[in-house]
Amino acid sequence: MQEYASDFIGKPLFTRGGERAGYVKNVQTDARLSALRNLECCDDEEEEFILPLSALAQAGKDALIVRSLTAQPCKNCRPAPFGAQVYGEDGALLGTASDFLREGKTLTGILLSDGSTLPADRLAGVRDAAMVSLSSPARRVPRPKKARASEEEGDAPVKASPDAGGTAMRAAQS
């Protein structure tokens, strides 16, 4: 069965003693969007609080059982970017992030609004939009360095000398 980051949203929270603690309104991920870290919650008076995912004793189909309401949330986390536009490295709009596939706490994929998925390990960055790299790391070709004027004229390239002041290189160029 496929797990989604949104599986937690809207579920009621209960303590082990059966007392209702509130509900989950969103999830938070680490900065790299590689793992779920926190739950953004509200109590019955709509006061917001954050619980680390580790505070859950049980995540059931219909409700979440909380081990501790006083557990400290993970720091440097961000709300999961549901609805963020997703672009490829060429600037092409790939779609909108409608959900995130997960295995336990680990995020494995980005589910786009058209139903297609992208591997989460291709995510290059997330701020106002998500950027993904679709090219294989093994196939990446480094950009050629801009040739110096002496190389363009047909001279052999000048290699840097290990001397601290670079005097040998300057002498070779003059």
Coordinates of all heavy atoms in Angstrom, one line a residue, residues 6 15 19 26 41 128 160 169:
S6 N 0.3 13.3 3.1 CA -1.0 13.9 3.5 C -1.8 12.9 4.3 O -2.9 13.3 4.8 CB -1.8 14.3 2.2 OG -2.1 13.1 1.4
T15 N -4.3 11.1 23.3 CA -3.3 10.6 24.2 C -3.5 9.1 24.4 O -4.5 8.6 24.1 CB -3.4 11.4 25.6 OG1 -4.6 11.0 26.2 CG2 -3.2 12.9 25.4
E19 N -7.7 10.8 25.8 CA -8.1 12.2 25.8 C -7.8 12.8 24.4 O -6.7 12.6 23.9 CB -7.3 13.0 26.9 CG -7.7 14.4 27.0 CD -6.8 15.1 28.0 OE1 -6.2 14.5 28.8 OE2 -6.8 16.4 28.0
N26 N -1.2 20.0 9.2 CA -0.1 19.9 8.1 C 1.0 19.1 8.7 O 1.1 18.8 9.8 CB 0.3 21.3 7.7 CG 1.0 21.4 6.3 OD1 1.1 20.4 5.6 ND2 1.5 22.5 6.0
C41 N -0.2 20.9 14.4 CA -1.5 20.5 15.0 C -2.3 21.7 15.5 O -1.7 22.7 15.8 CB -1.2 19.5 16.1 SG -0.2 18.1 15.7
D128 N 10.2 29.1 -3.2 CA 8.9 29.5 -3.7 C 8.4 28.4 -4.7 O 7.2 28.4 -4.9 CB 9.1 30.8 -4.4 CG 9.5 31.9 -3.4 OD1 9.1 31.8 -2.2 OD2 10.2 32.8 -3.8
A160 N 49.3 26.7 -14.5 CA 49.7 27.4 -13.3 C 50.8 26.7 -12.6 O 50.9 25.4 -12.6 CB 48.5 27.5 -12.3
M169 N 53.8 31.8 -14.0 CA 52.7 31.9 -14.9 C 52.7 33.3 -15.6 O 52.4 33.4 -16.8 CB 51.4 31.6 -14.2 CG 50.2 31.6 -15.0 SD 48.8 31.1 -14.0 CE 47.5 31.5 -15.2

